[in-house]
Amino acid sequence: QILKDVKKTILDVKATSWHDDYNKFRAGVKDLEVMMQNVISSAFETITTVEAGVELLDAFAHLNSREAVRRTIDKKTVEIWGLFNEELNLVKKEMSKAKSVELPAMHPKYAGASHWARALKRRIDAPMQTLSKAFFLPKTGSGAEASTQYQQLAQALDEFIRKMFNEWTG
């Protein structure tokens, strides 16, 4: 609004009021950037799942034309990949207990163990599908690393399921 009102002196080289008005405008834009960074950061305080984080990033993705906002979105993207990495580590930890897993009494030995492993795989499949479908996410090193870890863990779970089947039929 301030820049709209400056009509008479906009082309006057000797008038300095235009520079003052323009600096006020720039300061206002900077304030808006800071406000948007705060909104994005506060929105992510309650995020506990990868899916919810990706939804929020999708909502804010159109704002990444400003450098400061883009940095905040990049930082939050790394946090979402970190959430996924934590989930992978938890599943890995459970997978390492495969020999000593205690199944309920009504579960058959081999089918129960396979069912347990499939549940672990589903637990990492859903967030990975969400992340891989999120075309708007910026590419990060932590994303590539987490994808590799996911593939290795998924393969290990598939091999465990195959092993249980072979032991059952063999």
Side-chain angles (χ1 to χ4, degrees):
Q1 185 65 27
I2 295 171
L3 286 181
K4 269 187 169 180
D5 295 338
V6 183
K7 292 184 180 179
K8 295 177 184 172
T9 60
I10 196 162
L11 294 176
D12 188 358
V13 179
K14 294 177 184 169
T16 60
S17 63
W18 187 85
H19 291 290
D20 297 336
D21 293 332
Y22 183 69
N23 287 334
K24 285 180 191 173
F25 171 75
R26 284 183 42 194
V29 170
K30 183 72 174 157
D31 289 344
L32 282 175
E33 281 181 351
V34 170
M35 285 186 228
M36 282 312 303
Q37 287 176 298
N38 291 337
V39 166
I40 293 169
S41 294
S42 65
F44 272 88
E45 288 176 0
T46 59
I47 295 301
T48 57
T49 65
V50 171
E51 290 85 352
V54 169
E55 274 185 46
L56 268 181
L57 284 172
D58 186 22
F60 292 121
H62 69 284
L63 299 172
N64 71 357
S65 60
R66 303 294 299 180
E67 182 60 34
V69 175
R70 186 179 312 119
R71 280 193 313 266
T72 304
I73 289 175
D74 289 348
K75 190 168 79 173
K76 297 305 175 187
T77 300
V78 170
E79 286 180 24
I80 294 303
W81 280 107
L83 268 176
F84 181 59
N85 208 16
E86 287 174 23
E87 188 67 26
L88 288 176
N89 290 333
L90 289 172
V91 169
K92 257 187 230 175
K93 194 175 182 179
E94 279 192 49
M95 182 64 186
S96 67
K97 301 176 190 174
K99 297 281 186 210
S100 63
V101 106
E102 291 187 30
L103 298 171
M106 65 220 126
H107 280 248
K109 178 180 177 183
Y110 298 110
S114 293
H115 186 278
W116 169 79
R118 286 183 76 126
L120 288 178
K121 187 162 188 301
R122 276 192 223 106
R123 191 169 142 186
I124 61 171
D125 278 346
M128 186 62 202
Q129 286 178 353
T130 302
L131 286 165
S132 62
K133 287 179 185 175
F135 61 90
F136 50 86
L137 290 181
K139 305 291 181 225
T140 62
S142 58
E145 182 181 318
S147 294
T148 303
Q149 286 184 4
Y150 162 78
Q151 290 170 348
Q152 291 170 350
L153 184 56
Q155 185 178 4
L157 288 165
D158 287 338
E159 286 173 11
F160 179 81
I161 294 167
R162 211 170 298 112
K163 179 183 157 205
M164 288 293 109
F165 177 76
N166 289 336
E167 286 180 19
W168 176 62
T169 57

